[in-house]
């Protein structure tokens, strides 16, 4: 087995810890192995897109998700620097609906976060430069993308901020989780 899955308090959300081989030359690990990953999360997954973002210290991106039928599962890791990575359960029927989980992903710890469909995702860049890559189970669709405000008072993510974050206009204008749920239930 090239990795192990560690459960989090949110159902389906998993920390993926790779098996790392290190010696005086450096290190080696499989960052992804389809068979081992599916066994680790106990589910068949197909990834269709890889994304790569670079952020400077203090940039906060999120909380982003896509609405069904374009919902995306994501496998996230940091390849340079360190980020505080957050997932929020937005599945209305989930027992952990509205709860969040965060952890530091870094080039040093090499941890990954498996974020299933039905979660919003965001991160805060903690070091001068952060490069984050992630695989998705669905393609990006502009009209399906939504943003929950990073300071939604019903979620209360405890971002490790030392000053005001650097935000895109889209992230500044994010809406509350209650508004998103209300709009999706009224469309059913």
């Amino acid at each position: 087995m090239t990795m192990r899955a560690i459960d989090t308090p949110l159902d389906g959300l998993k920390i993926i810890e790779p098996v790392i081989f290190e010696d005086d030359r450096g290190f080696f690990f499989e960052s992804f192995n389809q068979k081992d990953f599916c066994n680790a999360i106990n589910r068949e997954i197909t990834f269709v897109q890889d994304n790569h973002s670079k952020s400077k210290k203090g940039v906060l991106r999120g909380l982003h998700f896509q609405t069904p039928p374009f919902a995306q599962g994501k496998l996230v890791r940091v390849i340079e620097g360190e980020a505080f990575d957050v997932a929020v359960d937005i599945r209305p029927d989930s027992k952990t609906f509205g709860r969040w989980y965060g952890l530091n992903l870094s080039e040093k710890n090499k941890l990954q976060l498996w974020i299933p469909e039905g979660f919003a995702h965001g991160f805060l860049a903690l070091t001068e430069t952060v490069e984050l890559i992630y695989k998705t189970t669905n393609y990006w669709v502009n009209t399906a993308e939504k943003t929950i405000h990073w300071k939604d008072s019903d979620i209360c993510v405890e971002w490790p901020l030392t000053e005001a974050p650097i935000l895109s206009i889209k992230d500044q204008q994010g809406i509350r989780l209650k508004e998103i749920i209300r709009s999706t239930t009224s469309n059913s």
Side-chain angles (χ1 to χ4, degrees):
M1 187 77 135
T2 60
M3 64 189 68
R4 74 181 183 113
I6 302 165
D7 290 332
T8 70
L10 305 183
D11 187 38
L13 183 71
K14 306 221 182 254
I15 300 166
I16 305 298
E17 181 180 55
V19 175
I20 301 168
F21 302 95
E22 290 186 85
D23 61 25
D24 59 347
R25 300 170 298 157
F27 68 84
F28 172 85
F29 70 99
E30 287 184 10
S31 61
F32 181 74
N33 176 302
Q34 181 77 28
K35 183 179 76 172
D36 286 352
F37 178 74
C38 291
N39 286 337
I41 66 166
N42 200 27
R43 181 177 159 202
E44 287 297 315
I45 293 292
T46 301
F47 290 108
V48 298
Q49 184 173 311
D50 282 356
N51 298 326
H52 187 148
S53 77
K54 183 175 183 176
S55 302
K56 62 184 184 179
K57 187 175 185 174
V59 167
L60 191 153
R61 297 182 189 260
L63 300 157
H64 304 150
F65 70 99
Q66 288 192 173
T67 56
F70 305 106
Q72 295 178 314
K74 296 178 181 178
L75 181 60
V76 181
R77 75 184 178 110
V78 168
I79 60 169
E80 181 181 338
E82 184 171 8
F84 182 66
D85 204 77
V86 172
V88 178
D89 187 345
I90 59 171
R91 303 169 295 180
D93 298 333
S94 171
K95 64 183 182 227
T96 57
F97 171 77
R99 288 182 40 201
W100 66 276
Y101 180 80
L103 80 157
N104 286 20
L105 298 178
S106 72
E107 66 182 297
K108 291 180 183 172
N109 68 25
K110 297 174 185 47
L111 296 175
Q112 299 178 62
L113 189 61
W114 163 241
I115 305 169
E117 298 86 347
F119 282 78
H121 172 247
F123 68 91
L124 172 66
L126 301 175
T127 51
E128 290 308 310
T129 301
V130 172
E131 290 199 41
L132 185 137
I133 60 173
Y134 59 100
K135 298 178 168 304
T136 65
T137 59
N138 210 338
Y139 297 103
W140 179 75
V141 176
N142 181 43
T143 56
E145 186 177 47
K146 303 288 183 207
T147 302
I148 298 170
H149 197 276
W150 66 279
K151 281 197 315 188
D152 187 322
S153 59
D154 292 323
I155 300 170
C156 298
V157 174
E158 294 174 18
W159 299 100
L161 291 163
T162 56
E163 56 191 348
I166 302 164
L167 301 163
S168 69
I169 292 172
K170 174 178 76 173
D171 292 342
Q172 290 173 31
Q173 297 173 345
I175 61 176
R176 295 188 58 191
L177 179 58
K178 284 180 180 176
E179 295 172 54
I180 292 168
I181 297 307
R182 196 175 0 215
S183 71
T184 55
T185 55
S186 65
N187 293 337
S188 326

